[in-house]
Amino acid sequence: DTEYRRFHDLFVDLIPYAEKTGVKIAIENLFAEWSIREINTLLDDLNHPLLGICFDTGHSVLYNSVGEELALCGDRLLGLHIHDNLGEKDNHFVPYRGKIDWADFAEGLVKTGYRGPLLIEAFERAPDETREHFIAACAEAHRDILKLIEQAS
């Protein structure tokens, strides 16, 4: 289809620059029509070691099971955008403030073998929440997710 061809051609054009610098390019799951399945199809077609996946939990929960889709990343997973939402729009809530099943996330992550950083991509604070409380909530969520990953290992 036209959208797929556009993405394909974009990454074909970017690969020589990635090769010159050694920079990896992580393709993010943005919406149902550009889920991990579609990204894996593109990566299979392009077959290049500098291309991989950036998995966004908030996008995934809008159209799939986070753990199921995350497991599809396999060893192509280069990075994470971790945030929560209510399953209706792409909010960027602190994990545990929405509907994502974080144990499901941890199980899916363990299946990939990923050992990189866990990037919290939250920026929507609760009404009247101070910056300090928001940062503390992000840190607590990070610790809780690490515990779930350890339990799932």
Side-chain angles (χ1 to χ4, degrees), residues 3-52:
E3 188 76 10
Y4 178 86
R5 178 54 49 196
R6 188 173 68 83
F7 281 123
H8 180 279
D9 293 348
L10 169 73
F11 290 108
V12 166
D13 289 344
L14 288 174
I15 287 172
Y17 298 102
E19 289 173 334
K20 284 180 187 175
T21 61
V23 170
K24 292 184 178 184
I25 299 171
I27 304 169
E28 185 173 344
N29 57 316
L30 296 173
F31 39 82
E33 297 78 23
W34 195 244
S35 70
I36 298 305
R37 288 187 195 285
E38 286 73 28
I39 293 170
N40 274 329
T41 298
L42 177 68
L43 293 174
D44 289 343
D45 289 349
L46 294 171
N47 191 27
H48 199 283
L50 292 178
L51 296 177

Side-chain angles (χ1 to χ4, degrees), residues 74-90:
D75 63 359
R76 291 175 162 165
L77 185 61
L78 298 177
L80 298 162
H81 288 173
I82 299 172
H83 56 100
D84 214 333
N85 65 49
L86 300 174
E88 298 165 4
K89 66 179 188 166
D90 187 28

Side-chain angles (χ1 to χ4, degrees), residues 1 11 35 51 56 63 109 119 149:
D1 88 336
F11 290 108
S35 70
L51 296 177
D56 189 296
Y63 58 83
L109 187 63
L119 174 73
I149 293 167

Side-chain angles (χ1 to χ4, degrees), residues 54-111:
C54 175
F55 184 81
D56 189 296
T57 59
H59 296 166
S60 181
V61 75
L62 296 175
Y63 58 83
N64 203 348
S65 156
V66 171
E68 180 182 315
E69 188 169 49
L70 181 54
L72 294 175
C73 294
D75 63 359
R76 291 175 162 165
L77 185 61
L78 298 177
L80 298 162
H81 288 173
I82 299 172
H83 56 100
D84 214 333
N85 65 49
L86 300 174
E88 298 165 4
K89 66 179 188 166
D90 187 28
N91 306 103
H92 284 75
F93 296 150
V94 173
Y96 298 96
R97 292 185 178 179
K99 70 173 258 177
I100 290 178
D101 180 340
W102 292 103
D104 183 48
F105 165 82
E107 289 170 16
L109 187 63
V110 167
K111 289 177 185 173

